[in-house]
């Protein structure tokens, strides 16, 4: 009964959820996490490394790994010991010209063995400064990321804003309910 | 982890498979057939078993599946008694779900229909398979949860349920678990009060307990109590709690007998639950009793017990006020044999007194696990985090050395767990920065240097939490400039990679990577650790790895001067001759410029070194040799007689490591006094491998070459030793021996080593010699370059290339190809192709033979070798077939003239030879060759080898006939019988002599077995001629 097996076994009982937060640089990952932790969201500098934070929500400990989106860090995204329950993919609604790059990375990430079967939450962030048609935007992104073709992953797509807090709670609610659906229906 | 992601990927498909299987097993379709149901059940079982690593993945479909199980059972079995097999099969399906996903979870998915209670109960009480009972009990346990008075359904219903549950609670078979669920749920009913009292008062008192000798019954009762404590209310239990506690306390404290782990586990769980009830009742005395009882189990021998205890203690801690919690923590630490000053708890205690060799490993493990649980539940004050940190600072490195193994990895693992919990559960401000920094450094050392892979990984997983959550604080503490902090985090995690940690050699190289990529981070700590403990590690290979790592870390920067480090180690060696120091000094010496140090101090340092080859570890000798080699190589050190004596003492140890070091040393030893040169040769003569293998590097070889040459043909010497000597000659020749007169004159003797076929009870040990000789010639082609040499070698290689042993023949073949003019004759094929396609190989050889105009002698050698592959009893069928079929295929393209010439040569091998009378090994060998050749020929003609009409086949008859004269070699005679038969059948007129000989053999041969063979042959002839 070593540490490594404790890490694995206690996850369920202790309601430990592991979330990997990925997405291109400057999309707002760190701001979202800090906003959820009710921390100051002014003057956040680009994440050159990574941070782990725990958000306690509805009795769950949601351990979020926020990893910098710079391309130099992308090889580093999968170096860890635990299984990932959810991948949260953050997009920037104000920089839609990067959608193709988004798909490229997203697709690569999902090929990772360690993400097999994990839930996917796609957040379209900075919706506060987006003034187009949200529904259309969501459809466009669903198509670009080919979400409908995904197998073995449950997914959800939300527009949100780290600034106003819009939909962030909903995102967490979805994670928790998915988790419960998967593991605690009984 | 890999299992888990494996199942995640395919879970959807598996669920579909299960879905499909169920339609058949549960007879949901009309077209079922009995047979396929059984097969389908196996498919189902295979599918569901794959969910074992992540059973929750079943949940999305579980309810649906189980409802279908119930529906099918109701429809097909519940009211029938015909089909027991179906009943069992459906129950098995249910059991599989329960086994993989847990009884309780599965029971939650069952529908409750109160009207079914009686019939389910009835079936459950009947004689059935245990699977059926298991299923019915669990089902029943759900049905009876209905809030409706059971007695209203049937007055005796409660009695019946109680009795049947009780009966199977005690059997210890697989339905016990279900019976226990049923009982607990039954007893939790509002109207079961009397049964509750009965159950506990009757079975849970010391008298009944002592009386009950059946462990299974006890386990059944305990597991029911444990479940009751989970689902019953305080009110329902109030009157029983004391009784339960008393019984368990008595049992635990009964020194006359120790309960088995299976029972203790329940005691512990029950105590944990009891304490929560007592807490609500504010009966703190009882809680104290429970805690002190539990503390005892932290040093129980069974890990599972310790772990379970740790969890219960921390659960109790969770519900206590902070003062009482403090008390528990203090008693925990008091279990450890360390004098801890709690008053100083606020300060980190870097050098807690703790002797890893004498501590009680088991208690440490138990206590550390509990501390870890406390951390995980955030029950620690800053002071206690500091205390835990102080302990871990030591326990992360605990190792206890026993004769054949070392203990303590569980303590190190639990220490990682403590750190992991602290870093994961506490925020920056809650952990003293000093603790973070110290444990960070410790964990890095553990990740790089722990001998146990699981511990290296555990430490590294802990570091991820530490760096991910407290990285900014940590690196600020370590004075890393803020613009570099992110880079440090990323690089460190990258370096401490899961796979890199998997290889011990790689993980020992991580420090230098950290140094290079992270501005010398931890440089001093690495060096200090390696110096103070790494290079002296109890484990031999870790010692060596440490020494290499130390050398690397010293050489990498100008902060350290190799000479100073060596001086320090020399001083330490003077005080205490620990294993590993000499090795470290030796490795460091290689960093010094040549001849930069006065060597006298080293003579002094090792003057007291002794080696007892009977008792000392080989490693002690190895490091001594290693040191001498570096001293001689770097400092021009001259060995005195004391040192030489020691060297010759050490090399008596037959270990590859010793031989290797001695070889290295020999390369540098220039002047060897006569006395030691003689001793060297004396050692060789007496079979010492190290001295034989190292001789080639030594000037002794030059002086003693004549003796060595003679030793080579001394067949009393062990083949391995002679092969080593040949290796040495080879090295000697390569280094400077082409002008050596003895070997120039003795060349033929060297070449003749290719003919060594010594056989002992270990088999063809001569092959070692042949291989060494081939290699020797290969490495020294220029030395063996005269026309005579070439001929002598080629002739032999032709034979060797056709031999049976793969590694001889392929080596020989490459040597042949490397010789001038042969290379161009041979098509280019890879070694592995040759190895895996023997027929192709023999084909190439035959083509070669065909292209060359070989002299008679060479041709004969070729066929001698070929006969072995084509007919020897050592060759496996695959080889024989390959040789024979390659021959037949090649045969087709030959002219008749060539065919005749070839047959003549082959048959000549069957004739009288000069060696036939030789009683020695050469004669034996020659005889074997003849028998092989005879069999080869026999194989050929039995496969209808087409023989040119002009060929005088009678010669084969004559040779065969002669070979049967006076022979009692059964193998040979049976082959001869086969040949004679074949010849006669080919041409009865021409070969009537064959039949005559067979008749003689059948009647007169002294061996009955031979007679029988000949007789059978005659019958065959009879039979064939009638056709
Ligand atoms: N308008 C608007 N700006 C936002 C929102 N969220 C983040 N930003 C801004 O977007 C910029 C990038 O935010 P970060 O949180 O650093 O982005 P990131 O994804 O962590 O970037 P990397 O760490 O480089 O991968 C910052 O200037 C934020 O203030 C949002 O919801 N609305
Ligand atoms: Mg960021």
């Amino acid at each position: 009964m070593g540490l490594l097996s404790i890490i694995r076994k206690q996850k369920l009982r202790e309601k430990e959820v592991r979330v990997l937060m990925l997405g291109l640089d400057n999309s707002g990952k760190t701001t979202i996490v800090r906003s959820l932790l009710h921390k100051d969201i002014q003057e956040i500098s680009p994440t050159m490394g990574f941070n782990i934070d725990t958000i306690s929500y509805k009795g769950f400990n949601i351990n979020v790994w926020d990893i910098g989106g710079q391309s130099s860090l992308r090889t580093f995204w999968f170096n860890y010991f635990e299984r990932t329950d959810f991948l949260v993919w953050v997009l920037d609604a104000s920089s839609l010209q990067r959608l193709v790059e988004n798909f490229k990375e997203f697709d690569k990430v999902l090929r990772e063995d360690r993400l097999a079967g994990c839930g996917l939450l796609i957040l379209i962030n900075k919706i506060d400064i987006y003034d187009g048609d949200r529904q259309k935007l969501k459809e466009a992104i669903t198509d670009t990321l080919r979400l409908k073709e995904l197998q073995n992953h449950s997914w959800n797509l939300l527009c949100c804003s780290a600034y106003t807090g819009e939909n962030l709670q909903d995102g967490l609610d979805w994670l928790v309910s998915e988790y419960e659906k998967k593991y605690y229906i009984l | 982890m890999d299992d888990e992601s494996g199942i995640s990927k395919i879970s959807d498909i598996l669920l579909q498979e299960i879905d499909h299987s169920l339609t058949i097993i549960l007879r949901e379709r009309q077209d079922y057939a009995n047979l396929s149901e059984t097969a389908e059940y196996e498919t189902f079982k295979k599918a569901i078993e794959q969910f074992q690593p992540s059973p929750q993945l079943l949940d999305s479909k579980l309810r649906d599946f189980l409802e279908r199980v119930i529906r099918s059972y109701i429809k097909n079995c519940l009211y029938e008694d015909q089909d027991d097999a179906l009943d069992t099969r459906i129950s098995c399906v249910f059991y599989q779900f329960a086994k993989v996903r847990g009884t309780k979870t599965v029971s939650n998915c069952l529908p409750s229909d109160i009207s079914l209670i009686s019939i389910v109960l009835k079936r459950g009480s009947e004689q059935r398979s245990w699977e059926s009972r298991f299923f019915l009990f669990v089902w029943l346990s759900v049905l009876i949860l209905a809030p409706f008075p059971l007695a209203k359904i049937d007055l005796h219903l409660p009695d019946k349920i109680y009795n049947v549950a009780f009966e199977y609670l005690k059997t210890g078979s697989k339905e016990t678990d279900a019976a226990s669920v049923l009982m607990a749920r039954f007893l939790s009913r509002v109207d079961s009060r009397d049964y509750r009292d009965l159950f506990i008062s009757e079975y849970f008192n010391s008298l009944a307990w002592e009386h009950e000798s059946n462990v299974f019954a006890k386990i059944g009762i305990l597991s029911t109590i444990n479940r009751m404590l989970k689902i019953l209310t305080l009110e329902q239990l109030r009157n029983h709690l004391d009784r339960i506690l008393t019984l368990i306390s008595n049992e635990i404290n009964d020194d006359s007998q120790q309960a088995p782990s299976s029972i203790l586990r329940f005691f512990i769980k029950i105590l944990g639950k009891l304490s929560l009830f007592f807490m609500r009742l504010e009966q703190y005395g009882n809680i104290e009793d429970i805690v002190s009882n539990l503390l005892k189990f932290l040093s129980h021998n069974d890990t599972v017990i310790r772990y379970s205890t740790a969890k219960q203690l921390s659960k109790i801690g969770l519900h206590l006020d902070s003062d009482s919690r403090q008390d528990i923590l203090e008693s925990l630490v008091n279990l450890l044999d360390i004098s801890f000053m709690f008053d100083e708890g606020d300060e980190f205690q870097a050098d807690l007194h703790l002797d890893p060799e004498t501590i009680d490993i088991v208690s440490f493990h138990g206590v550390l696990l509990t501390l870890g649980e406390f951390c995980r539940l955030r029950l620690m004050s800053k002071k206690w985090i500091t205390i835990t940190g102080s302990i871990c600072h030591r326990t992360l490195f605990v190792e206890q050395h026993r004769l054949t193994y070392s203990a303590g990895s569980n303590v190190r693992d639990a220490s990682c767990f403590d750190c992991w919990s602290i870093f994961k559960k506490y925020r920056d401000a809650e952990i003293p920065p000093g603790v973070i920094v110290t444990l960070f450094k410790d964990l890095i050392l553990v990740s790089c240097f722990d001998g146990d892979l699981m511990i290296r990984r555990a430490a590294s997983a802990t570091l991820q939490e530490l760096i991910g959550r407290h990285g900014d604080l940590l690196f600020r503490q370590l004075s890393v400039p803020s613009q570099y902090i992110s880079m440090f985090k990323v690089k460190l995690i990258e370096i401490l990679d899961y796979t890199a940690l998997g290889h011990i050699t790689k993980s020992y190289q991580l420090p230098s990577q950290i140094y290079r990529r992270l501005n010398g981070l931890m440089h001093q700590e690495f060096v200090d650790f390696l110096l103070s403990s790494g290079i002296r590690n109890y484990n031999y290979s870790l010692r060596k790895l440490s020494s290499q790592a130390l050398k690397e870390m010293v050489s990498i920067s100008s902060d350290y001067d190799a000479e100073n480090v060596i001086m320090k180690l020399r001083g330490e060696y003077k005080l205490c001759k620990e294993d590993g120091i000499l090795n470290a000094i030796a490795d460091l010496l290689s960093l010094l410029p040549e001849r930069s140090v006065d060597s006298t101090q080293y003579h002094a340092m090792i003057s007291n070194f002794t080696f007892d080859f009977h008792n000392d570890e080989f490693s002690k000798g190895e490091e001594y040799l290693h040191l001498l080699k570096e001293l001689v190589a770097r400092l021009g050190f001259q060995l005195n007689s004391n040192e030489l004596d020691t060297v010759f003492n050490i090399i008596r140890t037959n270990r590859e490591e010793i031989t290797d070091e001695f070889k290295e040393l020999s390369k540098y030893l220039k002047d060897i006094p006569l006395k030691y040169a003689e001793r060297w040769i004396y050692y060789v003569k007496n079979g010492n491998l190290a001295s034989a293998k190292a001789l080639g590097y030594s000037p002794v070889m030059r002086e003693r070459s004549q003796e060595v040459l003679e030793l080579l043909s001394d067949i009393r010497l062990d083949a391995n030793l002679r092969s080593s000597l040949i290796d040495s000659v080879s090295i000697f020749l390569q280094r400077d021996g082409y002008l050596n007169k003895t070997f120039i004159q003795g060349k033929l003797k060297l070449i003749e080593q290719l003919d060594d076929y010594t056989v002992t009870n270990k088999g063809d040990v001569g092959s070692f010699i042949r291989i060494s000789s081939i290699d020797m010639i290969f490495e020294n082609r220029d030395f063996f370059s005269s026309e005579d040499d070439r001929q002598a070698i080629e002739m032999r290689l032709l034979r060797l290339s056709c031999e049976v042993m793969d590694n001889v023949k392929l080596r020989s073949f490459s040597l042949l190809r490397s010789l001038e003019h042969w290379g161009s004759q041979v098509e280019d094929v890879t070694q592995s192709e040759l190895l895996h396609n023997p027929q192709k190989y023999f084909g190439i050889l035959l083509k070669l033979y065909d292209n060359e105009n070989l002299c008679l002698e060479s041709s004969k050698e070729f066929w001698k070798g070929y006969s072995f592959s084509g007919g020897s009893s050592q060759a496996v069928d695959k080889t024989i077939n390959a040789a024979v079929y390659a021959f037949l295929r090649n045969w087709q393209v030959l002219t008749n003239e060539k065919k005749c010439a070839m047959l003549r040569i082959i048959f000549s091998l069957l004739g009288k030879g000069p060696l036939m009378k030789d009683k020695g090994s050469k004669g034996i060998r020659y005889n074997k060759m003849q028998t092989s050749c005879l069999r080869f020929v026999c194989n050929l003609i039995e496969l209808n080898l087409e023989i040119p009409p002009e060929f005088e086949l009678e010669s084969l008859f004559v040779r065969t006939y002669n070979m049967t004269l006076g022979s009692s070699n059964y193998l040979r005679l049976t082959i001869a019988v086969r040949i004679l038969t074949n010849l006669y059948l080919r041409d009865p007129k021409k070969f009537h002599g064959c039949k005559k000989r067979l008749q003689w053999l059948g009647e007169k041969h002294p061996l009955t077995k031979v007679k029988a063979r000949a007789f059978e042959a005659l019958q065959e002839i009879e039979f064939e001629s009638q056709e």
Side-chain angles (χ1 to χ4, degrees), chain B residues 106-146:
Chain B
V106 162
S107 75
N108 290 345
C109 297
L110 299 177
S112 55
D113 177 351
I114 191 168
S115 68
L116 296 175
I117 291 185
S118 298
I119 178 81
V120 172
L121 174 63
K122 178 171 158 286
R123 276 183 91 80
S125 326
E126 290 165 356
Q127 279 300 321
R128 290 192 185 281
S129 64
W130 69 260
E131 288 95 342
S132 296
R133 260 195 311 273
F134 182 94
F135 168 45
L136 292 164
F137 286 171
V138 175
W139 191 5
L140 190 59
S141 80
V142 175
L143 296 176
I144 60 163
L145 288 179

Side-chain angles (χ1 to χ4, degrees), chain A residues 1-4 6-8 10 12-14 16 48-54 61 63 65 73 75-76 79-83 113-114 116-117 152 181-186, chain B residues 1 4-5 8-9 12 56-57 59 62-63 101 105 109 307 311 376 413 416-417 420 424-425 454 457-458 460-462 464-465 468-469 472 486 489-490 493-494 497-498:
Chain A
M1 189 91 60
L3 169 62
L4 295 180
I6 292 178
I7 290 180
R8 248 169 271 162
Q10 67 169 20
L12 279 181
R13 206 171 341 115
E14 315 292 341
E16 298 274 345
M48 308 302 287
F50 76 112
N51 288 299
I52 312 174
D53 280 295
T54 302
N61 288 320
N63 298 300
W65 288 52
L73 292 172
T75 51
F76 169 76
N79 202 330
Y80 47 78
F81 288 79
E82 291 162 71
R83 245 180 71 70
D113 248 15
R114 297 187 178 204
N152 272 329
K181 207 159 44 183
K182 203 163 169 190
Y183 297 125
Y184 299 106
I185 56 160
L186 307 167
Chain B
M1 179 145 39
E4 266 178 63
S5 42
S8 306
K9 260 192 274 180
D12 279 357
Q56 322 76 22
L57 293 174
D59 290 4
L62 195 61
R63 196 176 288 275
R101 190 58 184 100
T105 316
C109 297
Y307 190 64
K311 282 215 294 230
R376 214 168 51 75
D413 183 79
C416 286
F417 172 50
W420 182 81
K424 181 160 178 159
K425 294 295 176 178
M454 293 309 285
R457 287 193 173 151
S460 162
T462 309
Q464 291 198 348
E465 294 294 336
R469 293 177 193 267
D472 294 308
S486 296
K489 290 196 206 171
V490 170
I493 300 292
E494 273 174 0
D497 167 76
Y498 191 79

Side-chain angles (χ1 to χ4, degrees), chain B residues 603-670:
Chain B
H603 286 295
M605 178 179 84
I606 55 175
S607 63
N608 289 327
F609 182 97
T610 55
F611 187 81
D612 170 359
F613 87 99
H614 287 298
N615 296 318
D616 282 337
E617 284 286 326
F618 78 89
S619 59
K620 185 179 170 193
E622 182 191 356
E623 60 179 314
Y624 183 82
L625 294 180
H626 185 42
L627 176 68
L628 288 184
K629 182 239 140 180
E630 291 298 340
L631 287 171
V632 177
R634 314 295 309 173
L635 312 183
F637 190 83
Q638 295 276 342
L639 267 59
N640 62 31
S641 60
N642 183 14
E643 287 145 6
L644 280 164
D645 282 334
T646 309
V647 168
F648 276 94
N649 219 352
I650 290 171
I651 61 168
R652 295 169 73 181
T653 315
N654 187 10
R655 289 285 299 221
E656 207 170 314
E657 294 88 343
I658 297 283
T659 305
D660 288 346
E661 284 300 342
F662 185 52
K663 272 192 204 163
E664 286 300 310
L665 175 60
S666 301
K667 284 182 194 167
Y668 295 96
L669 282 181
K670 288 286 174 293

Side-chain angles (χ1 to χ4, degrees), chain B residues 143 244 258 307 653 818 937:
Chain B
L143 296 176
I244 300 174
Q258 171 69 274
Y307 190 64
T653 315
S818 75
V937 171

Side-chain angles (χ1 to χ4, degrees), chain A residues 23-32 41-48 66-70 90 92 94 125-129 160-164:
Chain A
L24 302 187
D25 46 287
N26 202 46
S27 53
K29 299 177 291 295
T30 309
T31 316
I32 292 176
I41 55 168
Q42 303 293 306
E43 291 171 34
I44 293 173
S45 43
T47 314
M48 308 302 287
D66 167 25
I67 304 181
Q70 314 246 338
V90 183
D92 180 348
S94 68
N125 189 33
K126 307 194 192 175
I127 204 68
D128 52 302
I129 48 172
C160 73
S161 162
Y163 277 11
T164 66

